[in-house]
Amino acid sequence: MTLLTLPNAQALATSIRATAQVFEDPASRALLSRIRRVAPSDASVLIMGETGTGKELIARHVHALSVRADGPFVAVNCGAFSENLVEAELFGNEKGAFTGAFAAREGWFEAANGGTLFLDEIGDLPLAIQVKLLRVLQEREVVRLGARKPVPIDVRIVAATNVQLEQAIAAGRFREDLFYRLNVVRLELPPLRDRPGDILPLAHFFIRLYQSRLGYERIRIDARAEDKLRRHAWPGNIRELENVIHHTLLVCRDGEIRPDDLQLTRLDSLSAPAATEAVPVALPPMAPSTGMALLEQAFDALCAEDRREGLFEEIETAILRFAYARSQDNQVHTARLLGLSRSVTRARLIRAGLLSVRERGSQG
């Protein structure tokens, strides 16, 4: 069995990233074969896949199989920085380039020189930064903030996103020329529900992992529990599976995992139309026309109060609160429900006071 794991995965306990990847299912084996064919080249790679499917693991494997394997692998989450900071993070800065720049600092491109730069959540990059990124890729050099002299770079770009970039281009949120620059090699990473042959191998890996961490003796899994794992739609993909196994080992008895020990999410229909479990709803479903009519009536009533300040923020907070509760406090599904990127949703939840400091680094 081909197994990929993240380095220092134990430090990522609250991360939404997948920490392990296997290639047992035919769809996964086909992907692995394609990776082995394209990795030795120096072509840019675009990895497409849902959150939690293991895009960083695939990027690291591309790097490991390339001629740059002895060089650095630098992973950058493009959605983790504000628009004001992302340029300095990517391209570096000189001393005094902006308030707080007390020393010159290299950016991620320079840090990855001679190796691979992994740009995760590339779809979250602001348009202004997309223009500068395109120029860097074309010229193969960066200019630090506050500098005039360019710095040559030798970096392979591997980008990843859970956003359909073609739709983002049509909506004016992503540059078409940058898309074609990145999309030389495209790797489509199927969600876990579409590669069912990987579910049990991953489950058994996580059982061994957490059994060791928790100091347990051998844990066995009931055949009915295995069947329950196979039938679940896994909207949170590999990361959800890892969380389920971790929780299950904490509650199972007598060294055996039974079906009732598996606490599975009931948000399947947000990402899998063929889900086998129902979705709990806070309110009865309404036809879109009826729902919009009621929303318009409520908005009209608020406007009639003749308030001048804070109305938009109050409405936005109410929408976020409802969507977050309906998604069982899961940031990923809240973002999908509202049609927003995960980083934008996280920022708005924090601003609205709906996400605590403790939860900010977690899935939701």
Side-chain angles (χ1 to χ4, degrees), residues 200-236:
L200 289 185
L202 279 167
H204 285 289
F205 167 76
F206 288 129
I207 288 172
R208 293 191 299 272
L209 177 67
Y210 283 98
Q211 170 188 315
S212 174
R213 288 186 187 177
L214 296 169
Y216 290 173
E217 296 182 359
R218 185 176 180 273
I219 301 289
R220 68 176 300 272
I221 182 168
D222 183 277
R224 295 168 301 160
E226 288 188 334
D227 185 57
K228 186 174 181 178
L229 290 173
R230 276 192 297 260
R231 289 187 292 106
H232 187 57
W234 300 110

Side-chain angles (χ1 to χ4, degrees), residues 87 90-91 125-139 173-178:
E87 183 175 0
L90 285 174
F91 310 131
L125 272 184
L127 282 169
I129 303 301
Q130 292 178 32
V131 175
K132 296 181 179 182
L133 174 59
L134 178 63
R135 182 173 179 81
V136 169
L137 298 181
Q138 290 171 338
E139 304 296 332
R173 298 193 305 270
F174 200 84
R175 291 184 62 92
E176 186 175 7
D177 47 6
L178 178 57

Side-chain angles (χ1 to χ4, degrees), residues 123 125 127 130 163-176 179 339-340:
L125 272 184
L127 282 169
Q130 292 178 32
V163 175
Q164 289 297 323
L165 291 183
E166 292 88 346
Q167 296 177 13
I169 291 169
R173 298 193 305 270
F174 200 84
R175 291 184 62 92
E176 186 175 7
F179 171 74
L340 301 171

Side-chain angles (χ1 to χ4, degrees), residues 253-305:
R253 305 169 306 281
D254 305 322
E256 182 176 23
I257 297 174
R258 302 174 179 84
D260 290 345
D261 297 323
L262 297 169
Q263 182 177 322
L264 303 181
T265 180
R266 303 187 67 189
L267 292 168
D268 302 3
S269 65
L270 288 176
S271 58
T276 58
E277 298 186 45
V279 178
V281 295
L283 295 174
M286 297 180 294
S289 58
T290 302
M292 288 306 298
L294 290 173
L295 187 60
E296 289 175 3
Q297 290 176 16
F299 183 69
D300 184 61
L302 288 171
C303 290
E305 297 178 9

Side-chain angles (χ1 to χ4, degrees), residues 151-205:
V151 178
I153 54 165
D154 174 25
V155 173
R156 183 186 194 177
I157 298 296
V158 178
T161 181
N162 60 1
V163 175
Q164 289 297 323
L165 291 183
E166 292 88 346
Q167 296 177 13
I169 291 169
R173 298 193 305 270
F174 200 84
R175 291 184 62 92
E176 186 175 7
D177 47 6
L178 178 57
F179 171 74
Y180 287 121
R181 175 68 64 170
L182 297 171
N183 194 38
V184 179
V185 173
R186 183 168 179 149
L187 298 176
E188 299 274 358
L189 185 49
L192 189 55
R193 62 183 171 274
D194 291 343
R195 40 187 170 125
D198 291 343
I199 294 174
L200 289 185
L202 279 167
H204 285 289
F205 167 76

Side-chain angles (χ1 to χ4, degrees), residues 71-89:
F73 177 91
V74 177
V76 180
N77 185 335
C78 297
F81 304 104
S82 68
E83 185 171 351
N84 294 332
L85 289 177
V86 67
E87 183 175 0
E89 291 290 335

